[in-house]
Amino acid sequence: MKTVSVIVDLPTKQTNQPFTYLIPQDLIDFDLLGHRVRVPFGKRDLMGFVVAVQDISHSDYDLKEIHSIIDEKPLLNKEMLALSDWLARYVFSYRIQVIQAMLPNAFKAKYLKGLKIVGELPDDIKKQFFLDKDEINFLPEQYDTRQLQVLNQLISQGKIVQTTTIAKKNRAKTVKVLSNALSEHQLTNLLDDKGHRAAQKKLLAFLQQHTDDHFQTKELAEILDISPASLTTAEKKGWLTAKQMPVTRNPVHAISVAKSQAIALNPDQEKVFQRVAQAIDSQKQETFLLEGITGSGKTEVYLQLIEKTIAKGRSAILLVPEIALTPQMIRRVKARFSDAVALIHSGLSDGQRLDQWEEIRQGQIEIVIGTRSAIFAPLDNIGLIIIDEEHESNYKQEDNPRYHARDVALWRARFHGAVTLLGSATPSLESRARAQRGLFTLLHMDHRAVSGAMLPTVSIVDMREVWQKEHADSDFSPDLLDAVKQRLATKEQTILLLNRRGYSSFVMCRNCGYVPHCPNCNLSLTLHMDSHSLKCHYCGYETAIPTKCPVCGSSQIRYVGSGTEKIEAKLQALIPNVRIARLDQDTTRKKGSLEKILRDFGQQKYDVLLGTQMVAKGLDFPEVTLVGVLNADTGLNLPDYRSGEKTFDLLTQVAGRSGRSGKSGQVIIQTFNPDNYAIQYAAKQDYEGFYKKEMSLRHLADYSPYFYTLQIAVDGPDQFMASQAIDAVADFIKGRLAQQTIMLGPTPKAIAKLRNRYYFQIILKYKKDENLERTLTDLQSVFSDRLPHDIYLSIDRDPVSFI
């Protein structure tokens, strides 16, 4: 008998395995591999994915048949099925969670509950509840207690049953279009009739030239410069036929840019291009690490390598770490490659992502650009995968499935025999160490691409001295303030980095030191002046700004620290005529707002771009000749062994935004730790020096890249039970690990309480442990069964943050 193995849409450890179903006779000749199907599971129907098809001679179980297929075409090809299997095991996730991460949200099942009559019911019950139908949708909140009691009694009597319907969300968007409904003879007669108005004559003449074309009402009205009402009249007269037509929601099509051509490469760029192009020609899997200083022209090399790949009949993926980087990058790519491009990131609507996914699957797209999730784009015959700013932690997903886009890229490159190019001015220590060991091929670009352009001059301002001289809180040193004023005088632009959003870090009672904390997370609340409230950036809790201290009753409530809102207001007060654009999560929530701010800044409608980490990465504005870092210390003393690396990366990257067009650039770094090695090396823009220093520190502390790291975390609503659970985890794994594996903890996490849950962790450091995979698999499948239902266990391979 012919059967299928199905992964059902239920992310639990009990269902994290394929279930076997019979193929019904009407689907026996249908290739079901990769399809979404409806299957019976217990007393309900579930959606599932067919991951294997097989013939078996007999079964020890009474197998059920699948009910139906959901889509005409399979959603998962053989590559995606193999990838989901490997990735689920590699990141210790449920396979259904991996599959869902690979697909647009529109493919997630929507389950509708219903009630169906299966026995005899009194007429009044039929009329009251079922409106004389045999089956209805069932929403419990629409019924009162007495009505629910009646329905439950009918269910227990077997007269009605509960049903589950799986609704399709992935429907194509359609729009109303108008087309000619008249014959050539009718058109001629109508045009000869002198009684028609000018608008009607204009329409008839147009229809005579476009007999087979379709137009939306607004589009046709604009072309003819007539009112939509005239078209409605024509439709009523039978001149026009209306119908619904599918429309593709691809945001790239709406971008208007002039066509661009490849530019001549400088010697550094040419050397890199030739070496990678050679690998593309050979169609063998190879990984390159491109270490190119800021402004060295990495993007132009990317574009010419993509062009080379497409000329070979293959496709390409280009990843960027932040949505903020996509507007500039997508414009450059579209200018070079027109509409054979798709854009994928979380800021798009479900419909936009769905339509582009369909375009990619149908082979209409050659290049995919996007953030982390774009690595799952269903391209065929991939020849090149580029990860720009490869050091960025955004490429790692923080919740299940906890994958790193770099790991997925390398897997797909092996599958397709493709080239992977990792690019950065500040490569991650892990990638740089792999290149040093010969696992990656190391390439360098040490000069800026624009002729005459040099790296900016960088100065460090010791804010301890500034504070002593000013005798007051000050966010702007005199050096930085003077430099901003100079740029205003020369009509040049400035970027200011503040690694914090909101108006001020927190509020504090100056009398007793009380700081308002989130009741759910035990973290200080952030002040937001736009809403006159205190907010928790983790769980969303919000409360009014206190006027009196709830502890001592004092009215001495003051703002402590500086956020983007407060800096904006202060700079505006210091330089009244300055035009400031603020770029942070608060100002970019609205769809399209990010693109507008960057576009307006690029058109010099603003003098200063003030923002959080978004302004530090990949932006290219020719008139920016000054970068100011207001608080370089943020992040230096966090409980994370990567804090030095992250600080160096951020400062080096933001410094690289200055002086990119040939004009001399300046960078001013304000800090209370001017002697810190990360700040010193960033000021010199000396990656090699920082790499050697940081590697020596990592070696002394047995951290990555000398050791692999793995985090096991437990969380729960009860602190004592969560603490007991992490102790039990430690006891379970301790005797199973290799002697050389180092176990740190158990300890509370750096943020020990979040959203009313308590967090504990164990960190494992290892080089080679043959028992590790088996131990962690048993921990996830066997041990986790012993945990209380509200205690959760998670495993994070190579975590990018320990906070």
Side-chain angles (χ1 to χ4, degrees):
M1 47 188 169
K2 210 166 182 182
T3 63
V4 290
S5 296
V6 175
I7 295 289
V8 295
D9 180 29
L10 205 59
T12 67
K13 52 183 175 289
Q14 294 87 357
T15 57
N16 189 34
Q17 58 178 315
F19 290 88
T20 305
Y21 289 88
L22 287 171
I23 300 177
Q25 201 59 40
D26 60 329
L27 294 175
I28 205 75
D29 296 322
F30 202 86
D31 185 5
L32 293 172
L33 190 66
H35 268 277
R36 283 197 302 172
V37 290
R38 293 184 179 91
V39 294
F41 196 84
K43 295 181 180 179
R44 56 179 166 164
D45 278 4
L46 286 180
M47 181 192 76
F49 291 86
V50 176
V51 296
V53 181
Q54 58 270 318
D55 281 308
I56 58 174
S57 54
H58 74 282
S59 173
D60 296 332
Y61 304 97
D62 184 17
L63 298 179
K64 297 178 181 178
E65 288 187 345
I66 62 173
H67 284 168
S68 62
I69 59 171
I70 297 176
D71 309 287
E72 291 180 13
K73 297 178 182 178
L75 300 189
L76 302 172
N77 58 25
K78 289 182 180 178
E79 181 201 0
M80 292 294 114
L81 288 169
L83 175 58
S84 70
D85 182 42
W86 167 79
L87 190 56
R89 286 183 282 106
Y90 186 71
V91 301
F92 305 100
S93 179
Y94 301 133
R95 193 171 179 187
I96 188 64
Q97 290 177 316
V98 172
I99 290 172
Q100 288 172 341
M102 292 164 64
L103 296 172
N105 285 336
F107 288 117
K108 286 185 178 177
K110 183 179 180 182
Y111 295 99
L112 304 176
K113 292 182 178 179
L115 295 173
K116 185 178 182 180
I117 300 172
V118 293
E120 289 296 322
L121 290 184
D123 288 342
D124 61 325
I125 294 289
K126 261 188 182 181
K127 200 164 193 176
Q128 181 185 355
F129 290 100
F130 286 83
L131 305 174
D132 291 327
K133 298 176 183 176
D134 291 328
E135 189 171 356
I136 57 167
N137 290 331
F138 176 56
L139 298 170
E141 59 270 20
Q142 293 182 350
Y143 300 90
D144 60 31
T145 305
R146 188 191 63 79
Q147 290 172 320
L148 288 172
Q149 286 174 346
V150 171
L151 291 172
N152 285 329
Q153 189 175 7
L154 293 171
I155 291 170
S156 64
Q157 292 171 355
K159 294 182 178 180
I160 62 174
V161 293
Q162 287 183 297
T163 61
T164 304
T165 305
I166 302 171
K168 279 183 71 171
K169 294 197 294 181
N170 56 309
R171 300 187 186 279
K173 182 180 179 180
T174 60
V175 294
K176 179 184 173 182
V177 293
L178 301 172
S179 60
N180 173 46
L182 300 169
S183 68
E184 192 175 338
H185 179 68
Q186 289 172 314
L187 278 167
T188 303
N189 288 341
L190 287 167
L191 281 166
D192 289 341
D193 188 339
K194 307 294 184 187
H196 297 305
R197 293 179 181 175
Q200 293 172 326
K201 285 184 177 180
K202 204 184 275 191
L203 173 61
L204 290 167
F206 184 82
L207 293 178
Q208 200 170 37
Q209 299 297 319
H210 301 83
T211 52
D212 299 321
D213 294 331
H214 299 86
F215 300 91
Q216 293 184 43
T217 302
K218 183 180 177 183
E219 178 188 17
L220 188 54
E222 287 176 356
I223 291 171
L224 297 174
D225 194 23
I226 62 176
S227 70
S230 299
L231 297 176
T232 304
T233 302
E235 191 182 339
K236 288 176 181 176
K237 287 184 173 184
W239 296 0
L240 295 170
T241 299
K243 70 173 183 179
Q244 292 293 318
M245 183 175 271
V247 62
T248 299
R249 291 159 287 188
N250 185 332
V252 179
H253 295 170
I255 298 171
S256 177
V257 289
K259 180 74 175 170
S260 73
Q261 300 296 325
I263 61 175
L265 301 178
N266 65 30
D268 273 3
Q269 292 172 311
E270 184 65 30
K271 190 175 179 181
V272 169
F273 172 81
Q274 291 298 339
R275 181 63 186 86
V276 180
Q278 184 184 359
I280 292 170
D281 283 336
S282 69
Q283 298 194 14
K284 289 182 180 177
Q285 191 267 329
E286 189 172 355
T287 304
F288 295 91
L289 176 63
L290 172 55
E291 184 185 319
I293 65 167
T294 55
S296 59
K298 293 187 287 292
T299 302
E300 182 61 32
V301 174
Y302 297 161
L303 294 178
Q304 295 196 25
L305 288 170
I306 291 171
E307 193 170 4
K308 170 88 174 172
T309 303
I310 291 169
K312 303 284 288 184
R314 308 190 77 184
S315 56
I317 297 175
L318 171 55
L319 298 186
V320 293
E322 294 249 13
I323 295 175
L325 299 185
T326 57
Q328 284 194 337
M329 186 66 82
I330 195 66
R331 291 180 72 83
R332 290 191 66 175
V333 175
K334 181 170 181 180
R336 194 70 58 88
F337 301 104
S338 299
D339 282 334
V341 183
L343 174 65
I344 296 177
H345 60 70
S346 60
L348 302 177
S349 69
D350 286 352
Q352 286 174 318
R353 282 192 274 182
L354 170 67
D355 287 1
Q356 290 184 97
W357 188 90
E358 290 285 7
E359 281 189 301
I360 297 166
R361 181 170 65 154
Q362 291 164 16
Q364 299 169 21
I365 297 295
E366 296 173 319
I367 307 158
V368 172
I369 299 175
T371 50
R372 180 179 60 227
S373 60
I375 193 58
F376 295 117
L379 286 167
D380 262 340
N381 196 20
I382 297 172
L384 177 64
I385 301 174
I386 299 170
I387 303 183
D388 190 30
E389 312 290 5
E390 71 85 32
H391 64 278
E392 284 291 343
S393 60
N394 290 0
Y395 286 122
K396 175 73 181 284
Q397 180 151 304
E398 292 182 1
D399 51 8
N400 269 327
R402 294 180 173 85
Y403 70 91
H404 197 297
R406 183 177 55 223
D407 295 329
V408 179
L410 294 174
W411 189 97
R412 295 197 74 183
R414 283 192 296 272
F415 185 91
H416 288 276
V419 169
T420 308
L421 177 58
L422 311 175
S424 176
T426 57
S428 66
L429 264 68
E430 289 78 10
S431 293
R432 184 65 170 75
R434 287 184 183 182
Q436 197 165 312
R437 295 200 303 270
L439 299 175
F440 297 165
T441 302
L442 182 62
L443 304 171
H444 287 275
M445 283 168 40
D446 300 325
H447 303 90
R448 286 202 149 177
V450 175
S451 178
M454 304 292 291
L455 285 172
T457 58
V458 183
S459 58
I460 297 174
V461 176
D462 187 347
M463 292 302 287
R464 296 171 301 183
E465 295 179 4
V466 172
W467 276 36
Q468 287 169 7
K469 290 175 183 176
E470 298 296 317
H471 301 294
D473 290 356
S474 177
D475 294 297
F476 293 95
S477 63
D479 289 356
L480 181 56
L481 208 55
D482 289 344
V484 173
K485 291 175 181 177
Q486 287 171 18
R487 289 338 181 263
L488 284 178
T490 56
K491 296 191 178 344
E492 294 170 350
Q493 291 177 296
T494 300
I495 288 178
L496 296 179
L497 169 69
L498 179 74
N499 198 15
R500 182 180 294 134
R501 81 179 197 265
Y503 188 85
S504 183
S505 289
F506 54 90
V507 298
M508 182 177 74
C509 173
R510 290 290 175 92
N511 189 51
C512 71
Y514 166 77
V515 175
H517 279 64
C518 173
N520 306 320
C521 304
N522 202 29
L523 296 169
S524 60
L525 295 167
T526 301
L527 175 67
H528 282 256
M529 287 303 287
D530 56 349
S531 56
H532 296 281
S533 63
L534 297 173
K535 293 181 184 178
C536 175
H537 285 169
Y538 285 90
C539 73
Y541 173 82
E542 186 171 0
T543 188
I545 302 168
T547 54
K548 285 190 176 181
C549 175
V551 175
C552 71
S554 168
S555 59
Q556 295 295 308
I557 302 292
R558 293 292 182 268
Y559 308 148
V560 181
S562 297
T564 47
E565 270 187 86
K566 187 175 180 182
I567 290 295
E568 180 185 21
K570 183 178 281 190
L571 183 60
Q572 198 76 67
L574 290 167
I575 312 177
N577 62 327
V578 70
R579 299 169 300 169
I580 305 168
R582 182 159 59 90
L583 190 71
D584 56 27
Q585 289 185 27
D586 298 319
T587 60
T588 57
R589 283 202 179 106
K590 189 178 176 183
K591 192 172 181 179
S593 56
L594 168 66
E595 290 85 349
K596 185 178 187 310
I597 291 171
L598 293 177
R599 184 172 62 249
D600 288 350
F601 186 71
Q603 293 170 357
Q604 291 188 271
K605 293 180 181 178
Y606 295 102
D607 306 306
V608 174
L609 181 64
L610 164 67
T612 52
Q613 289 191 25
M614 288 186 197
V615 303
K617 305 162 188 175
L619 300 178
D620 190 350
F621 296 107
E623 295 304 316
V624 171
T625 58
L626 172 65
V627 165
V629 180
L630 300 182
N631 53 347
D633 311 289
T634 302
L636 261 185
N637 299 308
L638 294 175
D640 187 334
Y641 73 85
R642 287 194 177 94
S643 61
E645 182 183 7
K646 290 176 180 177
T647 298
F648 173 82
D649 291 347
L650 183 64
L651 296 181
T652 305
Q653 291 288 338
V654 75
R657 301 314 107 207
S658 179
R660 295 172 72 92
S661 65
K663 296 182 179 181
S664 60
Q666 181 184 7
V667 180
I668 296 175
I669 298 175
Q670 298 184 163
T671 176
F672 288 91
N673 295 276
D675 299 322
N676 182 277
Y677 72 97
I679 291 174
Q680 284 289 331
Y681 280 116
K684 298 175 197 169
Q685 295 170 81
D686 180 6
Y687 174 80
E688 292 298 324
F690 173 79
Y691 173 72
K692 290 172 185 173
K693 172 71 174 178
E694 186 70 14
M695 286 290 280
S696 67
L697 295 174
R698 299 277 183 94
H699 188 261
L700 287 171
D702 293 335
Y703 274 115
S704 173
Y706 293 99
F707 277 70
Y708 296 110
T709 55
L710 188 141
Q711 181 188 62
I712 304 170
V714 161
D715 65 276
D718 182 274
Q719 186 176 10
F720 179 70
M721 289 179 68
S723 175
Q724 279 190 317
I726 197 69
D727 288 339
V729 169
D731 292 339
F732 181 84
I733 65 174
K734 205 176 290 180
R736 299 169 176 236
L737 300 174
Q739 216 170 13
Q740 297 79 13
T741 296
I742 301 167
M743 186 172 88
L744 304 178
T747 61
K749 291 187 76 171
I751 298 176
K753 185 186 180 187
L754 199 62
R755 300 183 186 94
N756 279 327
R757 295 185 72 83
Y758 295 88
Y759 289 80
F760 294 85
Q761 69 178 5
I762 292 170
I763 304 298
L764 299 181
K765 299 193 288 186
Y766 63 97
K767 286 189 174 181
K768 189 177 181 182
D769 190 337
E770 294 177 355
N771 303 325
L772 186 69
E773 300 293 325
R774 179 75 262 166
T775 299
L776 295 175
T777 301
D778 288 346
L779 179 69
Q780 191 181 39
S781 56
V782 179
F783 175 83
S784 59
D785 282 335
R786 306 174 196 169
L787 295 174
H789 74 281
D790 54 357
I791 298 289
Y792 298 139
L793 181 143
S794 64
I795 301 171
D796 189 0
R797 188 192 293 272
D798 301 321
V800 294
S801 174
F802 293 90
I803 298 172

